[in-house]
Amino acid sequence: MTQLAVAGLDKSFGAHQVLCGLDLDVPAGSLTAILGPSGSGKTTLLRVLAGFEHADAGTVRIGSALADGPGVFLPPERRRIGYVPQEGSLFPHLTVAANVAFGLSRRKWGRERRGKRCAELLESVGLGGLDRRYPHQLSGGQQQRVALARALVIKPDVLLLDEPLSNLDAKLREEMQVELRRLLQNVGATAIFVTHDQDEALTMSDRVAVMNKGRIEQLAEPRELYSRPASLFALNFVGLSTRIAGTVVGSQDGKVEVDTRVGRLSAMGSFIAGSPVVVAARPEHLRPGAALAANSVAGRVRSIVFQGSRTLVDVDAGAGESLLAELSGRDAAMPRVDEEIRLTWPVSETFAFPAEARA
């Protein structure tokens, strides 16, 4: 069941078009990440969904109700939307309980009913017993959970979160990614959250929508997005990769042969001969080995970066091209800087994209 549906959404500010024919369907009970660089339209999309901005064209449906479209515009208070801004925006002069109950007070709930609902929400987000504290008496993670409880207290049809963890330190942010996902799943919320952090998007979401220049480049489950990117932009924005420019010399059965400055490579894709492409592969698929695989390139180790569970090896392949391999502690022989090395990788994990999109 679709809880929120966006079709053909346009939004401009003056001569600058921010959203361009954007489409998005959000299933009930799912957590969808909107991932993209600054200026891609992420926050504007959230504001249009919340009713803070009116779309220039297209439609927004929440459940079966039209919230924004030709001749229709429901204001925020009539949309049953929960909204958590980037800073959380708690009222510093109100207690935790009063902050959470704020939305219920405006809906004229009685005191007893408000108190019961607030207690339920605070318990569900792990803040039971802290109802009389003030925001300055809470940690950053606790403040974020209060903001979440305040948004959930009205039982919204859709919960919107705008970079909810961006103001936390790195360690707390990692902890809250898992915690926030668990909390949202426990209450069965349909949620959309904006982020520019790829790790956050992959960790927290059921699906990730990659935005670029006001459009969604790809909407997919995290694993599919990482392993099967639909565009070079999606590949570049989510995870690391090796990218080598070349020209297609042949194509058959969904595979292409590409001449590059470091030799002939094979990749998944369908292009006519003569097409300029970029051949790409994820670093975990590049392994030290003999020249037996279809894709095999030699070079000199330029740098080695230890990152705990993995080690990244940057190899200068000559002619201005480089390879990035990811090795683990289980690899028997770790190369050294300036060492000659040959890397091989499978055709099934190599993809060709149009070269004009190279980044």
mmCIF file of all heavy atoms in Angstrom, residues 26-68:
data_model
loop_
_atom_site.group_PDB
_atom_site.id
_atom_site.type_symbol
_atom_site.label_atom_id
_atom_site.label_comp_id
_atom_site.label_asym_id
_atom_site.label_seq_id
_atom_site.Cartn_x
_atom_site.Cartn_y
_atom_site.Cartn_z
ATOM 1 N N VAL A 26 6.048 6.128 -1.794
ATOM 2 C CA VAL A 26 6.548 5.666 -0.502
ATOM 3 C C VAL A 26 5.558 4.674 0.093
ATOM 4 O O VAL A 26 4.430 5.045 0.440
ATOM 5 C CB VAL A 26 6.752 6.847 0.474
ATOM 6 C CG1 VAL A 26 7.254 6.339 1.819
ATOM 7 C CG2 VAL A 26 7.727 7.856 -0.114
ATOM 8 N N PRO A 27 5.929 3.385 0.213
ATOM 9 C CA PRO A 27 5.027 2.385 0.786
ATOM 10 C C PRO A 27 4.749 2.636 2.267
ATOM 11 O O PRO A 27 5.598 3.170 2.984
ATOM 12 C CB PRO A 27 5.787 1.064 0.593
ATOM 13 C CG PRO A 27 6.816 1.345 -0.452
ATOM 14 C CD PRO A 27 7.185 2.781 -0.269
ATOM 15 N N ALA A 28 3.576 2.255 2.720
ATOM 16 C CA ALA A 28 3.216 2.395 4.132
ATOM 17 C C ALA A 28 4.172 1.582 4.994
ATOM 18 O O ALA A 28 4.542 0.455 4.657
ATOM 19 C CB ALA A 28 1.782 1.931 4.346
ATOM 20 N N GLY A 29 4.595 2.180 6.110
ATOM 21 C CA GLY A 29 5.458 1.484 7.060
ATOM 22 C C GLY A 29 6.920 1.407 6.662
ATOM 23 O O GLY A 29 7.712 0.763 7.342
ATOM 24 N N SER A 30 7.304 2.070 5.581
ATOM 25 C CA SER A 30 8.693 1.996 5.107
ATOM 26 C C SER A 30 9.489 3.223 5.535
ATOM 27 O O SER A 30 8.936 4.260 5.873
ATOM 28 C CB SER A 30 8.731 1.869 3.582
ATOM 29 O OG SER A 30 8.273 3.071 2.973
ATOM 30 N N LEU A 31 10.799 3.084 5.475
ATOM 31 C CA LEU A 31 11.718 4.180 5.770
ATOM 32 C C LEU A 31 12.511 4.468 4.504
ATOM 33 O O LEU A 31 13.292 3.627 4.040
ATOM 34 C CB LEU A 31 12.658 3.795 6.915
ATOM 35 C CG LEU A 31 13.700 4.828 7.364
ATOM 36 C CD1 LEU A 31 13.040 6.149 7.701
ATOM 37 C CD2 LEU A 31 14.476 4.297 8.562
ATOM 38 N N THR A 32 12.285 5.640 3.927
ATOM 39 C CA THR A 32 12.915 6.015 2.660
ATOM 40 C C THR A 32 13.899 7.155 2.881
ATOM 41 O O THR A 32 13.547 8.169 3.483
ATOM 42 C CB THR A 32 11.855 6.458 1.632
ATOM 43 O OG1 THR A 32 10.954 5.371 1.385
ATOM 44 C CG2 THR A 32 12.507 6.873 0.314
ATOM 45 N N ALA A 33 15.128 6.975 2.411
ATOM 46 C CA ALA A 33 16.145 8.028 2.506
ATOM 47 C C ALA A 33 16.182 8.811 1.205
ATOM 48 O O ALA A 33 16.147 8.235 0.120
ATOM 49 C CB ALA A 33 17.513 7.413 2.781
ATOM 50 N N ILE A 34 16.259 10.137 1.323
ATOM 51 C CA ILE A 34 16.489 11.010 0.184
ATOM 52 C C ILE A 34 17.940 11.452 0.275
ATOM 53 O O ILE A 34 18.312 12.234 1.148
ATOM 54 C CB ILE A 34 15.556 12.235 0.192
ATOM 55 C CG1 ILE A 34 14.093 11.808 0.335
ATOM 56 C CG2 ILE A 34 15.762 13.063 -1.073
ATOM 57 C CD1 ILE A 34 13.546 11.014 -0.818
ATOM 58 N N LEU A 35 18.771 10.942 -0.617
ATOM 59 C CA LEU A 35 20.215 11.143 -0.560
ATOM 60 C C LEU A 35 20.676 11.982 -1.743
ATOM 61 O O LEU A 35 20.273 11.733 -2.882
ATOM 62 C CB LEU A 35 20.921 9.783 -0.587
ATOM 63 C CG LEU A 35 22.442 9.761 -0.620
ATOM 64 C CD1 LEU A 35 23.034 10.297 0.673
ATOM 65 C CD2 LEU A 35 22.941 8.332 -0.870
ATOM 66 N N GLY A 36 21.506 12.973 -1.478
ATOM 67 C CA GLY A 36 22.010 13.783 -2.576
ATOM 68 C C GLY A 36 22.907 14.890 -2.072
ATOM 69 O O GLY A 36 22.931 15.195 -0.873
ATOM 70 N N PRO A 37 23.652 15.536 -2.960
ATOM 71 C CA PRO A 37 24.544 16.623 -2.569
ATOM 72 C C PRO A 37 23.775 17.880 -2.225
ATOM 73 O O PRO A 37 22.568 17.990 -2.503
ATOM 74 C CB PRO A 37 25.407 16.826 -3.819
ATOM 75 C CG PRO A 37 24.511 16.409 -4.948
ATOM 76 C CD PRO A 37 23.696 15.263 -4.417
ATOM 77 N N SER A 38 24.452 18.845 -1.640
ATOM 78 C CA SER A 38 23.833 20.140 -1.358
ATOM 79 C C SER A 38 23.350 20.763 -2.666
ATOM 80 O O SER A 38 24.049 20.723 -3.679
ATOM 81 C CB SER A 38 24.839 21.077 -0.690
ATOM 82 O OG SER A 38 25.264 20.554 0.555
ATOM 83 N N GLY A 39 22.143 21.316 -2.631
ATOM 84 C CA GLY A 39 21.590 21.948 -3.820
ATOM 85 C C GLY A 39 20.842 21.021 -4.744
ATOM 86 O O GLY A 39 20.368 21.448 -5.807
ATOM 87 N N SER A 40 20.709 19.747 -4.386
ATOM 88 C CA SER A 40 20.014 18.801 -5.269
ATOM 89 C C SER A 40 18.504 18.866 -5.133
ATOM 90 O O SER A 40 17.778 18.271 -5.935
ATOM 91 C CB SER A 40 20.494 17.368 -5.001
ATOM 92 O OG SER A 40 20.236 16.991 -3.657
ATOM 93 N N GLY A 41 17.993 19.575 -4.108
ATOM 94 C CA GLY A 41 16.549 19.727 -3.945
ATOM 95 C C GLY A 41 15.948 18.924 -2.820
ATOM 96 O O GLY A 41 14.722 18.888 -2.663
ATOM 97 N N LYS A 42 16.779 18.307 -1.971
ATOM 98 C CA LYS A 42 16.280 17.415 -0.926
ATOM 99 C C LYS A 42 15.355 18.130 0.065
ATOM 100 O O LYS A 42 14.225 17.693 0.310
ATOM 101 C CB LYS A 42 17.451 16.786 -0.149
ATOM 102 C CG LYS A 42 18.460 16.062 -0.989
ATOM 103 C CD LYS A 42 19.530 15.391 -0.156
ATOM 104 C CE LYS A 42 20.295 16.308 0.760
ATOM 105 N NZ LYS A 42 21.093 17.314 0.036
ATOM 106 N N THR A 43 15.843 19.218 0.643
ATOM 107 C CA THR A 43 15.056 19.932 1.656
ATOM 108 C C THR A 43 13.828 20.585 1.038
ATOM 109 O O THR A 43 12.753 20.615 1.654
ATOM 110 C CB THR A 43 15.926 20.977 2.377
ATOM 111 O OG1 THR A 43 16.961 20.294 3.110
ATOM 112 C CG2 THR A 43 15.107 21.801 3.351
ATOM 113 N N THR A 44 13.945 21.092 -0.180
ATOM 114 C CA THR A 44 12.780 21.670 -0.851
ATOM 115 C C THR A 44 11.695 20.620 -1.036
ATOM 116 O O THR A 44 10.508 20.890 -0.838
ATOM 117 C CB THR A 44 13.178 22.264 -2.214
ATOM 118 O OG1 THR A 44 14.102 23.337 -1.998
ATOM 119 C CG2 THR A 44 11.966 22.803 -2.954
ATOM 120 N N LEU A 45 12.086 19.406 -1.409
ATOM 121 C CA LEU A 45 11.115 18.317 -1.540
ATOM 122 C C LEU A 45 10.396 18.080 -0.214
ATOM 123 O O LEU A 45 9.165 17.965 -0.176
ATOM 124 C CB LEU A 45 11.817 17.040 -1.990
ATOM 125 C CG LEU A 45 10.958 15.766 -1.997
ATOM 126 C CD1 LEU A 45 9.754 15.917 -2.924
ATOM 127 C CD2 LEU A 45 11.805 14.554 -2.381
ATOM 128 N N LEU A 46 11.147 18.027 0.880
ATOM 129 C CA LEU A 46 10.541 17.814 2.189
ATOM 130 C C LEU A 46 9.567 18.935 2.532
ATOM 131 O O LEU A 46 8.474 18.686 3.059
ATOM 132 C CB LEU A 46 11.642 17.724 3.251
ATOM 133 C CG LEU A 46 11.617 16.481 4.154
ATOM 134 C CD1 LEU A 46 11.732 15.231 3.309
ATOM 135 C CD2 LEU A 46 12.759 16.525 5.161
ATOM 136 N N ARG A 47 9.932 20.166 2.231
ATOM 137 C CA ARG A 47 9.076 21.313 2.543
ATOM 138 C C ARG A 47 7.791 21.304 1.707
ATOM 139 O O ARG A 47 6.738 21.705 2.188
ATOM 140 C CB ARG A 47 9.856 22.614 2.347
ATOM 141 C CG ARG A 47 10.962 22.828 3.378
ATOM 142 C CD ARG A 47 11.689 24.149 3.176
ATOM 143 N NE ARG A 47 10.790 25.290 3.303
ATOM 144 C CZ ARG A 47 10.393 25.819 4.451
ATOM 145 N NH1 ARG A 47 10.814 25.295 5.591
ATOM 146 N NH2 ARG A 47 9.593 26.859 4.468
ATOM 147 N N VAL A 48 7.887 20.844 0.478
ATOM 148 C CA VAL A 48 6.673 20.720 -0.343
ATOM 149 C C VAL A 48 5.774 19.619 0.220
ATOM 150 O O VAL A 48 4.547 19.782 0.306
ATOM 151 C CB VAL A 48 7.041 20.426 -1.811
ATOM 152 C CG1 VAL A 48 5.799 20.033 -2.617
ATOM 153 C CG2 VAL A 48 7.704 21.647 -2.443
ATOM 154 N N LEU A 49 6.360 18.503 0.629
ATOM 155 C CA LEU A 49 5.570 17.411 1.203
ATOM 156 C C LEU A 49 4.886 17.856 2.496
ATOM 157 O O LEU A 49 3.734 17.484 2.758
ATOM 158 C CB LEU A 49 6.468 16.203 1.481
ATOM 159 C CG LEU A 49 7.155 15.552 0.283
ATOM 160 C CD1 LEU A 49 7.977 14.344 0.727
ATOM 161 C CD2 LEU A 49 6.139 15.132 -0.767
ATOM 162 N N ALA A 50 5.597 18.655 3.297
ATOM 163 C CA ALA A 50 5.045 19.103 4.573
ATOM 164 C C ALA A 50 3.987 20.189 4.404
ATOM 165 O O ALA A 50 3.198 20.442 5.318
ATOM 166 C CB ALA A 50 6.163 19.617 5.475
ATOM 167 N N GLY A 51 3.977 20.852 3.243
ATOM 168 C CA GLY A 51 3.032 21.939 3.024
ATOM 169 C C GLY A 51 3.594 23.307 3.349
ATOM 170 O O GLY A 51 2.871 24.300 3.355
ATOM 171 N N PHE A 52 4.908 23.380 3.585
ATOM 172 C CA PHE A 52 5.543 24.675 3.831
ATOM 173 C C PHE A 52 5.775 25.426 2.518
ATOM 174 O O PHE A 52 5.986 26.635 2.522
ATOM 175 C CB PHE A 52 6.875 24.490 4.555
ATOM 176 C CG PHE A 52 6.765 23.794 5.884
ATOM 177 C CD1 PHE A 52 7.778 22.972 6.348
ATOM 178 C CD2 PHE A 52 5.629 23.943 6.678
ATOM 179 C CE1 PHE A 52 7.684 22.323 7.573
ATOM 180 C CE2 PHE A 52 5.529 23.305 7.904
ATOM 181 C CZ PHE A 52 6.547 22.495 8.347
ATOM 182 N N GLU A 53 5.782 24.689 1.406
ATOM 183 C CA GLU A 53 5.921 25.279 0.079
ATOM 184 C C GLU A 53 4.834 24.691 -0.821
ATOM 185 O O GLU A 53 4.438 23.534 -0.652
ATOM 186 C CB GLU A 53 7.297 24.987 -0.535
ATOM 187 C CG GLU A 53 8.478 25.477 0.265
ATOM 188 C CD GLU A 53 8.681 26.982 0.175
ATOM 189 O OE1 GLU A 53 7.976 27.632 -0.630
ATOM 190 O OE2 GLU A 53 9.532 27.503 0.915
ATOM 191 N N HIS A 54 4.361 25.474 -1.775
ATOM 192 C CA HIS A 54 3.341 25.047 -2.737
ATOM 193 C C HIS A 54 4.053 24.651 -4.037
ATOM 194 O O HIS A 54 4.839 25.424 -4.576
ATOM 195 C CB HIS A 54 2.374 26.203 -2.987
ATOM 196 C CG HIS A 54 1.117 25.806 -3.702
ATOM 197 N ND1 HIS A 54 0.973 24.609 -4.363
ATOM 198 C CD2 HIS A 54 -0.063 26.463 -3.858
ATOM 199 C CE1 HIS A 54 -0.225 24.546 -4.895
ATOM 200 N NE2 HIS A 54 -0.880 25.664 -4.601
ATOM 201 N N ALA A 55 3.792 23.449 -4.530
ATOM 202 C CA ALA A 55 4.405 23.009 -5.781
ATOM 203 C C ALA A 55 3.903 23.852 -6.950
ATOM 204 O O ALA A 55 2.746 24.280 -6.972
ATOM 205 C CB ALA A 55 4.097 21.542 -6.024
ATOM 206 N N ASP A 56 4.770 24.094 -7.934
ATOM 207 C CA ASP A 56 4.370 24.818 -9.137
ATOM 208 C C ASP A 56 3.573 23.926 -10.078
ATOM 209 O O ASP A 56 2.711 24.391 -10.821
ATOM 210 C CB ASP A 56 5.608 25.346 -9.874
ATOM 211 C CG ASP A 56 6.405 26.332 -9.037
ATOM 212 O OD1 ASP A 56 5.796 27.019 -8.190
ATOM 213 O OD2 ASP A 56 7.634 26.411 -9.219
ATOM 214 N N ALA A 57 3.885 22.631 -10.068
ATOM 215 C CA ALA A 57 3.183 21.665 -10.909
ATOM 216 C C ALA A 57 3.341 20.290 -10.277
ATOM 217 O O ALA A 57 4.222 20.067 -9.452
ATOM 218 C CB ALA A 57 3.745 21.672 -12.327
ATOM 219 N N GLY A 58 2.468 19.354 -10.682
ATOM 220 C CA GLY A 58 2.518 18.010 -10.138
ATOM 221 C C GLY A 58 1.567 17.833 -8.969
ATOM 222 O O GLY A 58 0.821 18.753 -8.602
ATOM 223 N N THR A 59 1.593 16.643 -8.386
ATOM 224 C CA THR A 59 0.667 16.321 -7.296
ATOM 225 C C THR A 59 1.382 15.644 -6.130
ATOM 226 O O THR A 59 2.393 14.968 -6.318
ATOM 227 C CB THR A 59 -0.454 15.375 -7.775
ATOM 228 O OG1 THR A 59 0.137 14.165 -8.287
ATOM 229 C CG2 THR A 59 -1.300 16.032 -8.860
ATOM 230 N N VAL A 60 0.833 15.856 -4.931
ATOM 231 C CA VAL A 60 1.259 15.157 -3.723
ATOM 232 C C VAL A 60 0.026 14.513 -3.116
ATOM 233 O O VAL A 60 -0.950 15.206 -2.793
ATOM 234 C CB VAL A 60 1.897 16.114 -2.698
ATOM 235 C CG1 VAL A 60 2.226 15.365 -1.398
ATOM 236 C CG2 VAL A 60 3.140 16.760 -3.266
ATOM 237 N N ARG A 61 0.036 13.192 -2.975
ATOM 238 C CA ARG A 61 -1.061 12.472 -2.336
ATOM 239 C C ARG A 61 -0.562 11.812 -1.068
ATOM 240 O O ARG A 61 0.475 11.146 -1.065
ATOM 241 C CB ARG A 61 -1.644 11.411 -3.275
ATOM 242 C CG ARG A 61 -2.379 11.992 -4.476
ATOM 243 C CD ARG A 61 -3.065 10.910 -5.312
ATOM 244 N NE ARG A 61 -3.781 11.490 -6.435
ATOM 245 C CZ ARG A 61 -5.011 11.963 -6.364
ATOM 246 N NH1 ARG A 61 -5.670 11.899 -5.213
ATOM 247 N NH2 ARG A 61 -5.590 12.499 -7.427
ATOM 248 N N ILE A 62 -1.318 11.999 0.021
ATOM 249 C CA ILE A 62 -1.020 11.354 1.298
ATOM 250 C C ILE A 62 -2.160 10.397 1.559
ATOM 251 O O ILE A 62 -3.299 10.810 1.792
ATOM 252 C CB ILE A 62 -0.889 12.377 2.432
ATOM 253 C CG1 ILE A 62 0.217 13.394 2.082
ATOM 254 C CG2 ILE A 62 -0.564 11.675 3.749
ATOM 255 C CD1 ILE A 62 0.299 14.560 3.041
ATOM 256 N N GLY A 63 -1.859 9.090 1.493
ATOM 257 C CA GLY A 63 -2.939 8.108 1.498
ATOM 258 C C GLY A 63 -3.757 8.290 0.229
ATOM 259 O O GLY A 63 -3.214 8.376 -0.875
ATOM 260 N N SER A 64 -5.059 8.419 0.372
ATOM 261 C CA SER A 64 -5.929 8.627 -0.786
ATOM 262 C C SER A 64 -6.257 10.100 -1.019
ATOM 263 O O SER A 64 -6.925 10.449 -1.990
ATOM 264 C CB SER A 64 -7.242 7.844 -0.604
ATOM 265 O OG SER A 64 -7.921 8.285 0.567
ATOM 266 N N ALA A 65 -5.768 10.976 -0.129
ATOM 267 C CA ALA A 65 -6.123 12.397 -0.195
ATOM 268 C C ALA A 65 -5.118 13.193 -1.004
ATOM 269 O O ALA A 65 -3.896 13.032 -0.842
ATOM 270 C CB ALA A 65 -6.229 12.975 1.213
ATOM 271 N N LEU A 66 -5.611 14.070 -1.856
ATOM 272 C CA LEU A 66 -4.762 14.987 -2.610
ATOM 273 C C LEU A 66 -4.412 16.168 -1.705
ATOM 274 O O LEU A 66 -5.289 16.901 -1.262
ATOM 275 C CB LEU A 66 -5.492 15.470 -3.866
ATOM 276 C CG LEU A 66 -4.712 16.429 -4.778
ATOM 277 C CD1 LEU A 66 -3.467 15.747 -5.347
ATOM 278 C CD2 LEU A 66 -5.613 16.937 -5.900
ATOM 279 N N ALA A 67 -3.111 16.329 -1.434
ATOM 280 C CA ALA A 67 -2.654 17.413 -0.555
ATOM 281 C C ALA A 67 -2.168 18.620 -1.329
ATOM 282 O O ALA A 67 -2.219 19.743 -0.835
ATOM 283 C CB ALA A 67 -1.543 16.906 0.368
ATOM 284 N N ASP A 68 -1.672 18.394 -2.533
ATOM 285 C CA ASP A 68 -1.142 19.485 -3.351
ATOM 286 C C ASP A 68 -1.333 19.101 -4.818
ATOM 287 O O ASP A 68 -0.938 18.005 -5.242
ATOM 288 C CB ASP A 68 0.350 19.700 -3.048
ATOM 289 C CG ASP A 68 0.852 21.058 -3.542
ATOM 290 O OD1 ASP A 68 0.161 21.698 -4.347
ATOM 291 O OD2 ASP A 68 1.953 21.457 -3.106
#
